[in-house]
Amino acid sequence: MNRRVYMDHTATTPLDPRVLEAMQPYFSEKFGNASSVHQYGQEAKAALELSRDRIAAFIHAKPAEIFFTTGGTESDNFAIKGAALAARAKGRKHIITNRSEHHAVLETCEYLEEIGYAVSYLPVDEYGMVDPDAVRRAVTPGTCLVSIMHANNEVGTINPIEEIAGIAHEHGILFHTDTVQTVGKIPVDVGAMGIDLLGISGHKIYGPKGIGAIYIKKGVEIEKFMHGGGQERGRRAGTENVPLAVGLGKTIELREMEMAEESIRLQTLKERLRRGIEERLEGHIFNGHLTHSLSHILNVSFNRSKIDIDGDVLLLSMDLNGVAVTSGSACTSGSMDPSHVLLAMGRDERTAKATLRFSMGKMNTEEDVEYVLDVLEDVVTKIGKPTSRNHNS
């Protein structure tokens, strides 16, 4: 193996050296507890609040609406459980989401079902997109929350969340969106988009693992997530992780400077990869919307009606040739089950398992794309077997 190419940036990204540099003092000499009133504590507090200010400005929110968490999963749990529990007193115990959400949302909703809530899991179309009219039809007098992801983490499709949020607000319902794959990659404006609750994760955008944030619009009723001290204005107890919060703030600062240019470059690489697959391989199916999609994700399956490929062998063969990709969400990449997102889009199980998600980042180059195409062509040629129907046609 002469080369290694990382194309799994949707799972995680390398830490930007500039972010590491910004964090380092807060692991050592600037070690104060941000809740302490002395100089050490106030130095930490100032750094924490600067990061909060940067995050708020980036999504057009107020600093007091940003709360630090450990990442996207906690933020989703906080938003959904918190909003649902706060609505109990009003007798509203119904939630609307969709079948292609991240497991952080789906399993949170399943938990709420176990304790007496009702959840409507909407279908998606063949591109993985939610129909706003389906949201409208699912609304009941007891609906307390609509949770629809901004963009899908496996296929990249961007949902029409402004329209969906508008429908929710027409009925006095809160709107939550998982923006883990979009904040720092495409513009997000919580006011213009009608967002009441959203989650952010640092390690998806060249920041540190273990840090994220939740936006809670002023006036939104939500139960606290952690009980204990009065940190994060009483909504999330526990000593703030100042070094990681500083890292997230620096990450956001860099994303603001570099996001637009990088998005254009990644779109070019994505189109080159797509064209190469079309020119070199048969029996493939691209998953996700062609235009309403994130610039860094390209998801491709191999159609079982045309070519028979063992998905596990496909993934392992790519890795053995130095190409790091995945078949779906990083949270389930070790599972033998096919992607729930692709099944929701109408793919059969065998086709869904024979899938690769390429997600590119700022380290990737045109040379990387050409190498990946060479490897993919070689692997598919070796392990792919034409189906009998295709072979006899």
Side-chain angles (χ1 to χ4, degrees), residues 137-159:
R137 291 191 296 268
V139 170
T140 74
T143 306
C144 61
L145 181 69
V146 174
S147 179
I148 302 295
M149 66 197 327
H150 190 188
N152 188 271
N153 56 299
E154 293 192 22
V155 300
T157 295
I158 300 172
N159 279 306

Side-chain angles (χ1 to χ4, degrees), residues 102-379:
H102 190 277
H103 286 288
V105 170
L106 293 177
E107 294 200 11
T108 302
C109 288
E110 289 167 9
Y111 163 76
L112 289 171
E113 286 184 288
E114 292 174 4
I115 62 172
Y117 288 78
V119 180
S120 295
Y121 298 94
L122 303 182
V124 293
D125 64 16
E126 67 270 30
Y127 304 111
M129 187 176 290
V130 177
D131 181 358
D133 287 335
V135 176
R136 190 185 301 276
R137 291 191 296 268
V139 170
T140 74
T143 306
C144 61
L145 181 69
V146 174
S147 179
I148 302 295
M149 66 197 327
H150 190 188
N152 188 271
N153 56 299
E154 293 192 22
V155 300
T157 295
I158 300 172
N159 279 306
I161 64 168
E162 297 94 332
E163 187 176 353
I164 294 171
I167 292 168
H169 293 158
E170 286 172 15
H171 298 274
I173 300 166
L174 293 177
F175 177 70
H176 164 255
T177 184
D178 179 341
T179 58
V180 165
Q181 292 297 339
T182 55
V183 168
K185 297 173 184 175
I186 60 175
V188 173
D189 184 327
V190 294
M193 299 167 85
I195 298 168
D196 298 305
L197 300 153
L198 67 72
I200 300 169
S201 182
H203 77 102
K204 306 291 188 179
I205 48 176
Y206 311 102
K209 295 176 177 66
I211 188 70
I214 181 173
Y215 158 76
I216 304 173
K217 184 179 179 180
K218 184 179 180 180
V220 166
E221 295 183 20
I222 188 169
E223 288 288 323
K224 64 177 65 176
F225 187 68
M226 300 279 281
H227 295 79
Q231 294 90 350
E232 296 301 287
R233 294 178 298 288
R235 280 185 157 162
R236 188 194 183 278
T239 301
E240 293 99 342
N241 193 326
V242 175
L244 296 191
V246 167
L248 181 58
K250 184 64 176 181
T251 298
I252 291 296
E253 178 188 5
L254 295 172
R255 290 287 79 208
E256 185 168 22
M257 293 188 296
E258 299 170 0
M259 178 179 74
E261 184 178 348
E262 182 181 316
S263 180
I264 295 170
R265 191 184 71 85
L266 291 180
Q267 185 66 43
T268 300
L269 293 183
K270 175 179 175 178
E271 291 170 0
R272 184 166 183 163
L273 181 58
R274 176 190 286 271
R275 285 196 309 270
I277 292 172
E278 289 176 336
E279 292 167 359
R280 298 187 188 207
L281 299 170
E282 296 182 356
H284 60 272
I285 306 171
F286 292 114
N287 301 305
H289 203 282
L290 183 61
T291 55
H292 299 293
S293 181
L294 296 175
S295 63
H296 68 292
I297 297 176
L298 183 66
N299 187 300
V300 59
S301 298
F302 291 92
N303 190 342
R304 66 170 301 192
S305 68
K306 296 183 179 181
I307 186 169
D308 187 18
I309 292 180
D310 184 300
D312 296 322
V313 175
L314 174 63
L315 197 62
L316 179 60
S317 298
M318 294 296 289
D319 186 48
L320 289 173
N321 283 276
V323 179
V325 290
T326 188
S327 57
S329 169
C331 299
T332 56
S333 60
S335 171
M336 298 297 289
D337 296 329
S339 161
H340 72 285
V341 174
L342 297 181
L343 295 181
M345 291 167 56
R347 302 287 181 241
D348 64 85
E349 288 195 13
R350 185 77 177 178
T351 299
K353 288 190 73 172
T355 296
L356 295 175
R357 178 188 67 178
F358 300 94
S359 51
M360 291 168 281
K362 59 184 181 180
M363 69 168 62
N364 293 132
T365 63
E366 292 183 359
E367 290 75 18
D368 288 340
V369 171
E370 291 305 314
Y371 180 74
V372 168
L373 286 169
D374 289 341
V375 169
L376 182 60
E377 182 179 19
D378 182 61
V379 166

